[in-house]
Amino acid sequence: MISFVIPVLNEEEGLLAFYQELSKEQKKLGDSYETLFIDDGSIDGSLAILKDLLKKDKNVRLFSFRRNRGKSEALSLGFQKAKGDYVVTLDADLQDRPSEVHKLLDEVRGNWDVVSGWRKNRQDKKKMVWASKLFNLLVKTFWGLSLHDYNCGLKAYTSDAAKSLRLYGGFHRFIPLIAFQEGFTVTEVVVEHDKRRFGKSKYGFSKVWKDLPDIFSMIFLAKYSKRPLHFFGFIGLFLMVIGVVILLYLLGVQLHGQSIGRRPLLMYGILSILAGVQIFLTGFLGDLIINSSSREMFHQPLRFSSDKTL
């Protein structure tokens, strides 16, 4: 079975056109399939349209957040609920063509765990194309995974790879990298990309600045997500050592008969020790919290689920 996971946010204008095109391609594949629509708190008529599709198509499953939670959490929910051996994601704006899905499925069936689309001839504004190129260059520089397009919405996964992903914030942009770091094989395939025909983009040029904190988060999580004390502990101990050295120096000065009460260096030494202790304890608490928080992070409240009446 193939599970199609479709995040939806205010796409009422083109949602039916997308569904019709997707259904046509799904039937061509010749496999059993399910279509999971994840409504990310839409405030237009998207949910009503999806509920109507749910009544008409037995292959449709529907989940809706009570409020907008972001694409990462919408995808995470879809991955958790998917029942298929393979999972395909694509956006509902028809910029990613459903007719390209077979290319990715051919590769993921050929022993790749994650196959990402490469929008080689991307039909977006120039500033967005250049912003994505900069983002891709930064990711390649920091982690060495060489892909042309990390953030294409059209991707195919094995079930194991999809269900291993725990996404939040802006981490959906790093899906190939996260899967790669978990030991899954990753590749990309050139896909056709169309201009947006309905509605408007949910992302402006400001997303470039939003990507930067996520990059720093990924740098930290890649090395210290399982051991935050190794990061904070080193910094904390370094500051404490500096503080102790300063105070020992001032103690020697005082033993030689000089007053140290009004020296700024005394304050720097004390603050360095206090800051070091706080940072060290931050890492220690992070180690304690990380396991318990991960169990509860992805239990999201839904306003509608086709699997269960709320």
Side-chain angles (χ1 to χ4, degrees), residues 184-200:
F184 294 102
T185 55
V186 179
T187 190
E188 63 182 351
V189 172
V190 175
V191 295
E192 297 293 330
H193 189 244
D194 293 330
K195 292 183 178 180
R196 177 178 273 271
R197 289 187 283 169
F198 305 99
K200 60 182 181 179

Side-chain angles (χ1 to χ4, degrees), residues 4 29 53 55 91 97 109 117 137 151 165-166 175 183 201 209 212 218 255 263 266 278 281:
F4 291 81
L29 293 174
L53 293 177
K55 296 176 182 177
D91 296 332
R97 294 182 183 178
R109 285 167 171 160
L137 177 62
N151 196 25
L165 297 171
R166 294 294 181 264
I175 284 177
S201 175
W209 310 112
L212 290 176
M218 279 300 302
L255 291 176
R263 292 198 178 198
L266 176 62
Q278 289 182 325
L281 289 177

Side-chain angles (χ1 to χ4, degrees), residues 92-108:
D93 54 17
L94 280 176
Q95 286 194 268
D96 299 322
R97 294 182 183 178
S99 60
E100 299 290 279
V101 167
H102 71 94
K103 295 181 181 179
L104 283 75
L105 285 173
D106 288 344
E107 292 296 325
V108 82

Side-chain angles (χ1 to χ4, degrees), residues 144-207:
L145 178 61
S146 182
L147 295 181
H148 296 87
D149 191 354
Y150 285 83
N151 196 25
C152 179
L154 181 54
K155 291 183 175 68
Y157 316 74
T158 61
S159 177
D160 287 344
K163 292 185 181 298
S164 75
L165 297 171
R166 294 294 181 264
L167 309 174
Y168 59 92
F171 278 14
H172 61 276
R173 303 182 185 95
F174 298 90
I175 284 177
L177 175 59
I178 296 172
F180 179 73
Q181 290 180 331
E182 291 294 324
F184 294 102
T185 55
V186 179
T187 190
E188 63 182 351
V189 172
V190 175
V191 295
E192 297 293 330
H193 189 244
D194 293 330
K195 292 183 178 180
R196 177 178 273 271
R197 289 187 283 169
F198 305 99
K200 60 182 181 179
S201 175
K202 309 302 184 296
Y203 307 100
F205 190 71
S206 61
K207 91 178 187 72

Side-chain angles (χ1 to χ4, degrees), residues 25-37:
E25 296 301 325
Q26 287 171 326
K27 293 172 183 176
K28 289 181 181 179
L29 293 174
D31 295 88
S32 59
Y33 63 87
E34 61 175 358
T35 307
L36 286 76
F37 286 104

Side-chain angles (χ1 to χ4, degrees), residues 258-278:
Q258 298 182 39
S259 175
I260 62 172
R262 295 187 177 182
R263 292 198 178 198
L265 196 58
L266 176 62
M267 184 61 68
Y268 294 153
I270 295 173
L271 288 177
S272 182
I273 291 176
L274 291 176
V277 170
Q278 289 182 325

